[in-house]
Amino acid sequence: ETGVTQSPTHLIKTRGQQVTLRCSSQSGHNTVSWYQQALGQGPQFIFQYYREEENGRGNFPPRFSGLQFPNYSSELNVNALELDDSALYLCASSLAGPAGNTIYFGEGSWLTVV
Amino acid sequence: GESVGLHLPTLSVQEGDNSIINCAYSNSASDYFIWYKQESGKGPQFIIDIRSNMDKRQGQRVTVLLNKTVKHLSLQIAATQPGDSAVYFCAENKSSARQLTFGSGTQLTVLP
């Protein structure tokens, strides 16, 4: 077990709706990243949060937003859902520092947009 | 653009044999590489990592080799077991950025 927990594990939404996914990082980890993994593909970086601020963003539109809380937990919000948003959303936590700090993933939240 | 990719999408090995999964990367600025194992319906599981100042690193039944000259990374699994069946991803990280860039993955199937 990685100590990274995500909720919900599965959910179905309708196109145009909004969704919030949640993540609790491994104890002591102050950095949380979110990834989108489409079926049959590798995870794609969405953004990272460090000390409650966005600390890097991938090629995703502004309707993908996030939050990090003082306890380092995080939320991913997606507005105006599109069918292509159907994917596994992964949260990863790590300890900020020089490259080489191990990055651990949760089991993910499966989102289906219909 | 720069990316991390895998040579083979699928690999089948006999139980007990050694497995070698290869990965090519094109970003010479990458300084940290990680191998993840992902079983069906689960999140990526950390296997082993290596920094760019190393050529080889060994773990329990796994070895990662890094050849910076040809920008190649490999994962060797000794005495492959049925539980090793999964998709394996290599990922790269640059110290100036916190994101991981993943390849498309290799499906490893262990045959009885």
Side-chain angles (χ1 to χ4, degrees):
Chain A
E1 297 299 324
T2 64
V4 181
T5 59
Q6 294 186 241
S7 63
T9 55
H10 296 79
L11 70 166
I12 300 174
K13 289 286 188 178
T14 303
R15 187 172 53 183
Q17 285 187 315
Q18 179 265 347
V19 67
T20 297
L21 307 178
R22 296 176 175 82
C23 172
S24 294
S25 60
Q26 186 180 106
S27 179
H29 283 186
N30 54 16
T31 302
V32 173
S33 301
W34 287 91
Y35 290 78
Q36 180 195 67
Q37 185 176 21
L39 199 60
Q41 298 183 19
Q44 300 290 316
F45 176 74
I46 302 175
F47 45 56
Q48 181 186 86
Y49 277 82
Y50 171 63
R51 291 186 174 178
E52 303 177 52
E53 293 190 358
E54 189 176 289
N55 183 39
R57 188 179 185 92
N59 189 26
F60 280 81
R63 61 189 184 84
F64 285 79
S65 63
L67 285 172
Q68 187 180 32
F69 301 99
N71 66 354
Y72 304 135
S73 65
S74 177
E75 288 183 353
L76 165 65
N77 299 289
V78 187
N79 294 321
L81 284 166
E82 301 177 359
L83 297 179
D84 286 347
D85 295 333
S86 295
L88 177 65
Y89 288 85
L90 296 162
C91 173
S93 78
S94 61
L95 191 60
N101 288 324
T102 307
I103 300 168
Y104 295 99
F105 283 84
E107 299 290 16
S109 293
W110 287 94
L111 171 65
T112 302
V113 182
V114 297
Chain B
E2 295 172 324
S3 64
V4 176
L6 298 175
H7 291 310
L8 298 173
T10 62
L11 176 65
S12 296
V13 298
Q14 292 292 138
E15 181 177 355
D17 286 353
N18 296 334
S19 303
I20 299 177
I21 301 172
N22 296 303
C23 177
Y25 68 95
S26 57
N27 188 351
S28 58
S30 297
D31 51 18
Y32 180 53
F33 303 88
I34 312 171
W35 281 100
Y36 286 95
K37 170 187 178 183
Q38 188 172 27
E39 297 174 275
S40 181
K42 296 187 176 182
Q45 176 188 352
F46 173 88
I47 301 174
I48 192 168
D49 58 3
I50 188 167
R51 303 186 186 194
S52 58
N53 61 352
M54 303 169 67
D55 297 323
K56 178 179 180 180
R57 192 171 187 207
Q58 289 184 296
Q60 186 176 12
R61 282 202 306 120
V62 295
T63 301
V64 55
L65 299 178
L66 176 62
N67 186 329
K68 295 180 287 294
T69 302
V70 295
K71 297 178 184 174
H72 183 267
L73 191 69
S74 69
L75 176 69
Q76 301 178 1
I77 304 174
T80 312
Q81 302 169 1
D84 294 328
S85 293
V87 177
Y88 289 80
F89 292 98
C90 64
E92 62 140 328
N93 181 237
K94 295 180 290 185
S95 58
S96 60
R98 300 309 301 169
Q99 67 194 74
L100 292 174
T101 300
F102 284 81
S104 56
T106 293
Q107 173 70 58
L108 174 66
T109 301
V110 181
L111 305 172

